[in-house]
């Protein structure tokens, strides 16, 4: 795999890029480079194929040795593009991939320069638990002295206060860490004053 790593990743990205009838590139996939057992039993639908290719790319984002290749292939842009998709699975995998990649300083700076914080914040309203957890974690990783004003903006802090009241222990614990480690006491107090301090009516991820 080592010698062909870039080529393999390129093949995955290529599967995710085709030109539509108008000549404009859009993201999609027609097949998988490495068919899974399930795909050998029955053909994957277009949506399932897209999801599986994106999941593969997100998995490769776990390995720091792939970071340079993924940047070269503009996979960070692909992940950011997918955050606005209607398909919740695509958003989940893209958000997970970004969460893995932003541990790297270069990737972090790229995401910030690409105005990636806003679409990540929008993912906090997802009904998918994995997407929300990845979004909260990613905002933590992206918080720097320069980006703090955006990653800990008042609506974000208020959202974390609501999440901290969730019956979902995983989410509530993560939100509490965000409030304690990334927000100042005045920020939390201001957000609390604007909130009824109740999770009732707040869309939280599905268990």
């Amino acid at each position: 795999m080592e010698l062909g790593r870039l080529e393999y990743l390129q093949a995955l990205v290529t599967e995710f890029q085709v030109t539509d009838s108008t000549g404009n590139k859009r993201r999609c996939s027609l097949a998988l480079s490495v068919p899974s057992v399930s795909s050998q039993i029955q053909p994957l639908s277009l949506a399932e194929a897209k999801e599986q290719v994106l999941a593969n790319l997100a998995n490769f984002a776990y390995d720091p040795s792939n970071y340079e290749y993924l940047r070269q292939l503009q996979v960070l842009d692909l992940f950011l593009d997918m955050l606005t998709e209607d398909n919740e699975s695509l958003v989940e995998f893209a958000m997970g991939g970004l969460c893995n990649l932003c541990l790297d300083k270069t990737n972090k700076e790229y995401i910030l320069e690409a105005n990636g914080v806003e679409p990540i914040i929008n993912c906090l309203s997802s009904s998918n638990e994995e997407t929300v957890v990845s979004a909260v974690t990613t905002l933590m990783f992206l918080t720097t002295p320069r980006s703090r004003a955006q990653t800990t903006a008042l609506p974000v802090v208020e959202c974390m206060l609501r999440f901290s009241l969730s019956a979902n222990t995983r989410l509530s614990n993560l939100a509490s860490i965000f409030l304690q480690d990334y927000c100042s006491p005045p920020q939390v107090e201001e957000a609390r004053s604007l909130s009824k301090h109740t999770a009732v009516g707040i869309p939280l991820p599905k268990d």
Side-chain angles (χ1 to χ4, degrees):
M1 175 72 181
E2 285 300 324
L3 293 177
R5 188 180 294 265
L6 176 58
E7 290 77 8
Y8 184 85
L9 292 171
Q10 174 69 76
L12 286 176
V13 173
T14 298
E15 290 182 66
F16 218 76
Q17 297 176 329
V18 297
T19 303
D20 63 18
S21 58
T22 64
N24 296 318
K25 283 188 175 180
R26 64 186 178 88
R27 309 294 188 184
C28 70
S29 172
L30 298 179
L32 298 177
S33 293
V34 181
S36 65
V37 173
S38 60
S39 67
Q40 294 175 22
I41 297 174
Q42 59 182 13
L44 293 175
S45 68
L46 177 60
E48 290 171 334
K50 289 178 66 175
E51 292 165 9
Q52 205 159 341
V53 173
L54 196 65
N56 286 341
L57 288 170
N59 286 336
F60 278 109
Y62 275 109
D63 188 347
S65 65
N66 292 323
Y67 288 168
E68 183 177 350
Y69 298 140
L70 293 172
R71 286 194 294 268
Q72 181 179 338
L73 296 171
Q74 299 181 317
V75 172
L76 282 81
D77 292 305
L78 189 153
F79 285 155
L80 288 170
D81 287 346
M82 291 298 103
L83 296 185
T84 57
E85 287 287 312
D86 293 330
N87 184 317
E88 291 187 4
S89 293
L90 291 179
V91 177
E92 174 189 339
F93 298 140
M95 193 65 258
L98 289 170
C99 187
N100 295 331
L101 289 168
C102 69
L103 287 168
D104 175 76
K105 181 179 179 181
T106 301
N107 291 338
K108 178 187 301 186
E109 292 175 350
Y110 185 92
I111 294 169
L112 293 174
E113 290 296 326
N115 298 315
V117 173
E118 182 177 351
I120 291 169
I121 289 175
N122 290 339
C123 287
L124 294 175
S125 62
S126 172
S127 61
N128 184 307
E129 177 184 348
E130 294 302 323
T131 298
V132 174
V133 168
S134 292
V136 174
T137 305
T138 301
L139 288 174
M140 291 179 177
F141 293 153
L142 291 178
T143 299
T144 67
R146 180 167 59 92
S147 66
R148 184 178 297 275
Q150 189 176 14
T151 59
T152 64
L154 185 58
V156 176
V157 180
E158 188 174 7
C159 183
M160 295 302 165
L161 281 171
R162 292 164 177 170
F163 284 164
S164 71
L165 298 175
S166 171
N168 184 320
T169 304
R170 184 184 181 202
L171 180 59
S172 63
N173 288 343
L174 192 60
S176 296
I177 292 172
F178 187 99
L179 293 168
Q180 179 177 337
D181 294 351
Y182 295 89
C183 305
S184 67
Q187 282 180 300
V188 175
E189 286 306 313
E190 182 180 6
R192 183 173 285 118
S193 69
L194 296 177
S195 172
K196 296 179 180 180
H197 211 244
T198 175
V200 176
I202 302 303
L204 295 174
K206 299 175 182 177
D207 294 333

